[in-house]
Amino acid sequence: MADAIKVLLVDDHQVVRRGLRTFLEVQDDIEVVGEAADGTEGVARAEELRPDIVLMDVKMPGMDGIDALRKLRELDNPARVLIVTSFTEQRTVVPALRAGAAGYVYKDVDPDALAAAIRSVHAGHILLQPEVAGALLSQEEANSGQGRGGSLTEREREVLGLIADGRSNREIARALVLSEKTVKTHVSNILMKLDLADRTQAALWAVRHGVTG
């Protein structure tokens, strides 16, 4: 399974981890490489195993999922994190995405939909439940004016469209035949002009306003 998507399960409930493992292990392109029962163990295992995807619960004893996300970003761990939780409140959703989650689904998600979510996040896409996207869009619209998109240059709009498509700076640089440094400058300008905090907000803004790659 050299080409399989390597997944780490981080959840404080053993029954949940067992259920996820049982389902995922029958997928030809997904390999469960490890488990962890809290955020601290999850970060350590992610550093040890270097998975492609971490399925992370939010509420756990000790270090919770949001703090674990922040720690992984501090360590520059390349794993993309898909939050899998039963909590639906906006006060839980938004901090998780701000901390760097690449997707957010609920524990009652259909198993096939979960596998599809893992593949989508692994491909570089941002994956959100419709109501989660709505919560973030509400915040974005409250914090940024509708008319600010007009201040973007044509090149910045191209970069923004590729951000919305889930592309990394390196991938954007290749697509537009630019240096990564130039792309980083464009991304910084986009966030400043639209008064947005991060790439997740930028991707949502792009989707909301029809800017595509």
Side-chain angles (χ1 to χ4, degrees):
M1 299 180 69
D3 296 328
I5 301 170
K6 296 177 174 59
V7 175
L8 172 67
L9 308 176
V10 184
D11 194 294
D12 58 317
H13 292 98
Q14 184 177 5
V15 172
V16 172
R17 298 198 309 272
R18 184 179 301 149
L20 289 170
R21 177 183 280 275
T22 298
F23 168 71
L24 294 176
E25 284 184 338
V26 304
Q27 304 297 311
D28 292 336
D29 59 339
I30 297 174
E31 177 186 6
V32 178
V33 295
E35 300 180 17
D38 57 41
T40 301
E41 185 183 4
V43 170
R45 295 287 279 166
E47 284 291 278
E48 172 193 355
L49 300 169
R50 310 302 278 186
D52 300 306
I53 303 293
V54 178
L55 295 187
M56 181 93 73
D57 192 11
V58 174
K59 299 295 184 181
M60 295 181 288
M63 181 186 289
D64 65 16
I66 294 173
D67 286 338
L69 266 164
R70 294 189 180 114
K71 186 63 177 177
L72 288 173
R73 297 291 79 80
E74 288 174 10
L75 293 169
D76 201 25
N77 190 290
R80 290 174 65 80
V81 177
L82 178 61
I83 294 293
V84 183
T85 185
S86 56
F87 290 89
T88 62
E89 298 93 340
Q90 186 171 330
R91 66 176 181 271
T92 300
V93 173
V94 175
L97 293 166
R98 295 287 175 269
Y104 195 111
V105 296
Y106 301 134
K107 285 185 177 177
D108 61 356
V109 65
D110 178 85
D112 289 331
L114 177 60
I118 290 171
R119 295 180 186 111
S120 178
V121 167
H122 182 252
H125 301 294
I126 296 170
L127 187 138
L128 305 175
Q129 300 275 4
E131 60 269 33
V132 174
L136 280 176
L137 286 169
S138 295
Q139 278 209 348
E140 176 264 309
E141 288 178 348
N143 294 328
S144 66
Q146 293 286 334
R148 289 185 179 137
S151 66
L152 296 179
T153 67
E154 186 61 34
R155 178 64 84 185
E156 287 166 353
R157 291 181 71 85
E158 287 179 323
V159 171
L160 180 57
L162 291 170
I163 290 174
D165 196 38
R167 306 286 190 92
S168 67
N169 284 351
R170 178 172 297 180
E171 290 170 331
I172 294 172
R174 288 174 180 169
L176 299 180
V177 195
L178 300 171
S179 69
E180 283 191 62
K181 183 177 180 180
T182 299
V183 172
K184 288 180 182 178
T185 299
H186 284 314
V187 173
S188 295
N189 289 341
I190 290 166
L191 296 180
M192 179 185 66
K193 288 181 178 181
L194 298 181
D195 192 23
L196 302 175
D198 51 41
R199 294 172 74 96
T200 300
Q201 278 194 343
L204 289 165
W205 192 99
V207 171
R208 176 68 176 82
H209 296 280
V211 179
T212 58

